[in-house]
Amino acid sequence: MSDQHEGSCLCGAVRFRTKGALREIVACHCGQCRKQTGLYYAATNVRKTALEIEGADAITWYKASSFARRGFCGTCGSALFWEAEEGDFISILAGAFDTPLDVRIERHIFCADKAAFYEINGDVPQYAQGSPGLAVAAP
């Protein structure tokens, strides 16, 4: 697989391109992520310097916590990004990529907050809250 990936929002007003390796996918089941996506937030990440965005003026940023914001298309509402104010990485929703990804879900976080209408299956590690070495906002 390529180290370059492309993606977009549903309406195409926001398009992005990444260069370099993507992190494995983290599935977050916290209340904020459930409310934003309707289920859970499955995201990879890249260095901020490895992300090019076309249509950045169409992104609406919502400060969701004391140290992070969420970016979504202001036209169609597609959830796209999660970004900590401090740090070199930005999370990108895995479903927003148009090119195939060669990464898989590596862990589930905030499982204590998941909705009651689904189960988490498989042998991927599950954490009641965050997991070691992963920057997250407190719910």
Side-chain angles (χ1 to χ4, degrees):
M1 288 264 166
S2 170
D3 273 350
Q4 291 190 346
H5 294 88
E6 296 182 3
S8 64
C9 64
L10 182 60
C11 71
V14 179
R15 301 197 60 73
F16 62 86
R17 181 176 304 104
T18 65
K19 295 180 182 173
L22 298 174
R23 180 198 67 202
E24 294 295 320
I25 296 169
V26 173
C28 183
H29 302 267
C30 79
Q32 283 189 6
C33 288
R34 280 190 295 109
K35 287 181 183 274
Q36 186 179 32
T37 66
L39 189 57
Y40 59 88
Y41 202 90
T44 183
N45 76 5
V46 296
R47 289 196 170 279
K48 292 176 184 178
T49 57
L51 175 65
E52 297 174 14
I53 299 174
E54 295 175 30
D57 56 331
I59 299 172
T60 298
W61 290 97
Y62 172 68
K63 187 163 176 58
S65 69
S66 62
F67 78 93
R69 63 185 188 158
R70 295 169 181 269
F72 59 94
C73 175
T75 303
C76 67
S78 294
L80 299 167
F81 307 110
W82 183 92
E83 180 181 31
E85 290 179 3
E86 307 266 332
D88 298 329
F89 292 87
I90 185 167
S91 293
I92 305 170
L93 265 79
F97 283 90
D98 298 324
T99 53
L101 301 181
D102 57 351
V103 292
R104 299 287 178 258
I105 293 177
E106 73 170 355
R107 60 185 133 174
H108 294 270
I109 60 173
F110 291 98
C111 296
D113 296 338
K114 81 167 195 58
F117 62 84
Y118 69 94
E119 297 300 323
I120 303 170
N121 297 310
D123 58 358
V124 176
Q126 299 179 29
Y127 298 88
Q129 298 300 313
S131 68
L134 186 67
V136 296

